[in-house]
Amino acid sequence: MFLNKIKDFWTKKIVKKRLSNVKHINSDSSIKKVGIVFDESYFYEKEKMILQLIENGIEEKNIDFFVFKHQVKKNDSFDYKVFTYKNSNWNASFDGVEVNDFVNADFDLLISYYDIEKAPLLLLTSLSKAKFKVGFASIDKRLNHFMIDTNAENYNVFINELFKYLKILNKL
């Protein structure tokens, strides 16, 4: 337990140091492929949120999501991709094929759907190769290209604001 706290602190420190050297890439392409990172400890409505994305014109086959869970028991099985603290290592990178595939995926939009900073979530967002990243205003401002000021329980507000501004930015 104590080692996990140290690893968490160390990972956050490395991520924040990397963020000081971030160069934002301007992308004029429209959004077709979307990746979503959820923190399941605070948000359980991922299916409803995905339905809203589909209603706003994103094809279901182009939506990929990854769920963060604090702990996964050995016998637990999920019908979606899950990562935990155990998937991150001391070098602020990930172990595991699924996590690395998600990080290296060529998303047009990455939605970081968490409003509390946790090291694995910050790490996944910072390492992602997504062209445009959206998240909450309560998270480090250097991590995302666009921030929405609401909380995770208000997914309707988040999606409405997201698509309002994506239309303004000519991303749709």
Side-chain angles (χ1 to χ4, degrees), residues 65-141:
F65 65 94
F66 226 140
V67 177
F68 173 76
K69 292 182 81 64
H70 277 284
Q71 293 179 335
V72 175
K73 296 176 182 155
K74 284 186 178 182
N75 297 331
D76 285 348
S77 64
F78 304 99
D79 57 345
Y80 48 85
K81 294 183 258 181
V82 174
F83 72 106
T84 65
Y85 281 106
K86 291 181 181 180
N87 292 104
S88 64
N89 60 34
W90 288 85
N91 298 329
S93 61
F94 285 106
D95 298 327
V97 176
E98 276 189 334
V99 182
N100 285 317
D101 286 347
F102 188 84
V103 165
N104 293 319
D106 191 28
F107 294 118
D108 297 315
L109 172 67
L110 178 71
I111 300 173
S112 301
Y113 206 82
Y114 53 90
D115 57 355
I116 295 175
E117 290 187 357
K118 296 180 182 171
L121 292 165
L122 295 173
L123 182 61
L124 187 99
T125 301
S126 71
L127 293 176
S128 175
K129 305 290 189 256
K131 295 174 186 153
F132 192 69
K133 298 176 185 178
V134 175
F136 287 92
S138 60
I139 303 300
D140 192 324
K141 310 294 185 241

Side-chain angles (χ1 to χ4, degrees), residues 17-46:
K17 185 176 179 183
R18 284 183 192 163
L19 289 176
S20 65
N21 298 325
V22 169
K23 296 177 183 169
H24 291 289
I25 300 170
N26 291 335
S27 172
D28 294 332
S29 63
S30 64
I31 292 175
K32 293 178 179 68
K33 191 169 181 185
V34 177
I36 310 170
V37 180
F38 289 107
D39 182 0
E40 194 170 72
S41 58
Y42 296 102
F43 184 70
Y44 304 101
E45 304 290 338
K46 60 185 161 296

Side-chain angles (χ1 to χ4, degrees), residues 137-148:
S138 60
I139 303 300
D140 192 324
K141 310 294 185 241
R142 300 169 293 174
L143 198 59
N144 296 305
H145 298 107
F146 185 72
M147 283 85 48
I148 297 174

